[in-house]
Amino acid sequence: AQTVTQSQPEMSVQEAETVTLSCTYDTSENNYYLFWYKQPPSRQMILVIRQEAYKQQNATENRFSVNFQKAAKSFSLKISDSQLGDTAMYFCALPGGGADGLTFGKGTHLIIQP
Amino acid sequence: NAGVTQTPKFQVLKTGQSMTLQCAQDMNHNSMYWYRQDPGMGLRLIYYSASEGTTDKGEVPNGYNVSRLNKREFSLRLESAAPSQTSVYFCASSLRGIGTSTRELFFGEGSRLTVL
C-alpha cells in the first residue's frame, strides 16, 4: 500500500524567505505522478505542482519548485520569496486508494509572518 | 466553469439523524471520490466510483453509503449520524483512461458537517 509521510506538522517563516516542505513516500509503482496541493483558509484544495516520476528534471511553477529524489522516495516542495498568501495547509499526495485516486499525507501548516 | 459542486456547504445534525451530501461535476470525468478531512489526519478516502454504476469502499467507509446516480453525480449518505462523523467532506473527480494517467483530482469546496 502507498504511504505518504509529512514530518513537519507546522512551519513558520518570514515573508520573502524561502521555505522547504518535506515529503517522503512509499509505492510499488514504477511510473507515477506526485502532487502538492495547497489548502488556504478558504478550504479549497488547489493543485500547486505535479511531478512525473519518470522525468529526472524537477518540476517548477513560478515560485514553487520540487526536489524529487526517486531513489530516496523524497518529494520536497520549495517556495521562494514567500508571500502572505502562501499561508495554508500543504498536502503531498501520490496515486493510491482505488480508481486512481490519491493518498495524502497528513499535511504541513505553513504560516508566513509579515 | 463550475467544476465540482457540492452541497450543502455547512450542516449541523443531531446524533441519529440522516442526511445526504450531493456532488456534481461538469468536466465529463469518469471517476469520482468522497474524502473526509480531520485535523492531523489529512484526507482519507471514504468511497469512490470508477465509472457510472460502480462504487467501492475506500479507507474509512463505515457509517456511509454512496450512490453514483449518473456520470455527473455522486452522493454520500449518512444513515444515522454519529459525533465521530463530524468532519469536512470533500468530493473530487478525475479523468481516467489510457493516455490520461496524470491522476490529478479536482475538488469541490468542501462541506463542514457537525454532529451533536
Side-chain angles (χ1 to χ4, degrees):
Chain A
Q2 287 83 354
T3 60
V4 180
T5 302
Q6 294 180 250
S7 59
Q8 305 148 312
E10 186 169 288
M11 298 184 70
S12 180
V13 299
Q14 296 294 122
E15 193 175 7
E17 289 184 345
T18 294
V19 60
T20 298
L21 310 182
S22 66
C23 173
T24 58
Y25 63 93
D26 192 18
T27 180
S28 56
E29 296 190 29
N30 190 49
N31 187 17
Y32 51 91
Y33 282 79
L34 292 155
F35 303 89
W36 279 98
Y37 278 86
K38 170 185 177 181
Q39 186 183 44
S42 66
R43 206 168 65 199
Q44 181 68 45
M45 292 289 288
I46 303 165
L47 179 65
V48 174
I49 198 165
R50 168 174 50 218
Q51 173 75 42
E52 301 174 53
Y54 64 89
K55 287 189 176 180
Q56 294 189 353
Q57 185 174 7
N58 289 324
T60 299
E61 290 286 345
N62 300 314
R63 297 183 296 108
F64 298 86
S65 61
V66 301
N67 182 5
F68 175 50
Q69 304 289 333
K70 189 174 182 180
K73 294 184 177 177
S74 171
F75 181 58
S76 60
L77 175 69
K78 185 172 83 170
I79 305 174
S80 303
D81 186 25
S82 58
Q83 301 175 358
L84 297 179
D86 295 332
T87 292
M89 285 290 293
Y90 287 82
F91 294 97
C92 178
L94 80 159
D100 295 342
L102 296 178
T103 296
F104 290 84
K106 294 184 178 181
T108 296
H109 184 206
L110 176 64
I111 301 168
I112 309 299
Q113 305 276 7
Chain B
N1 54 345
V4 179
T5 303
Q6 54 181 111
T7 56
K9 298 289 190 294
F10 300 93
Q11 184 73 48
V12 178
L13 292 176
K14 295 181 179 179
T15 297
Q17 288 185 320
S18 62
M19 76 157 298
T20 299
L21 296 173
Q22 307 284 355
C23 176
Q25 53 89 13
D26 62 3
M27 296 174 283
N28 202 33
H29 286 171
N30 44 12
S31 293
M32 298 186 73
Y33 313 83
W34 277 105
Y35 287 87
R36 62 177 287 173
Q37 181 183 14
D38 302 292
M41 299 296 292
L43 280 78
R44 293 180 292 169
L45 184 63
I46 305 171
Y47 269 93
Y48 64 93
S49 171
S51 61
E52 184 179 352
T54 69
T55 61
D56 283 288
K57 295 178 180 179
E59 180 185 355
V60 288
N62 291 344
Y64 305 95
N65 286 302
V66 291
S67 296
R68 183 75 182 266
L69 305 171
N70 47 55
K71 191 172 186 179
R72 292 186 63 249
E73 298 173 289
F74 187 40
S75 62
L76 177 72
R77 182 161 178 84
L78 287 69
E79 291 291 351
S80 179
S84 61
Q85 294 177 304
T86 293
S87 188
V88 177
Y89 292 85
F90 284 94
C91 179
S93 69
S94 71
L95 182 64
R96 298 175 62 241
I98 296 173
T100 58
S101 59
T102 64
R103 300 181 178 179
E104 177 183 352
L105 296 190
F106 295 81
F107 287 86
E109 294 181 346
S111 301
R112 180 175 293 279
L113 175 65
T114 302
V115 183
L116 302 175

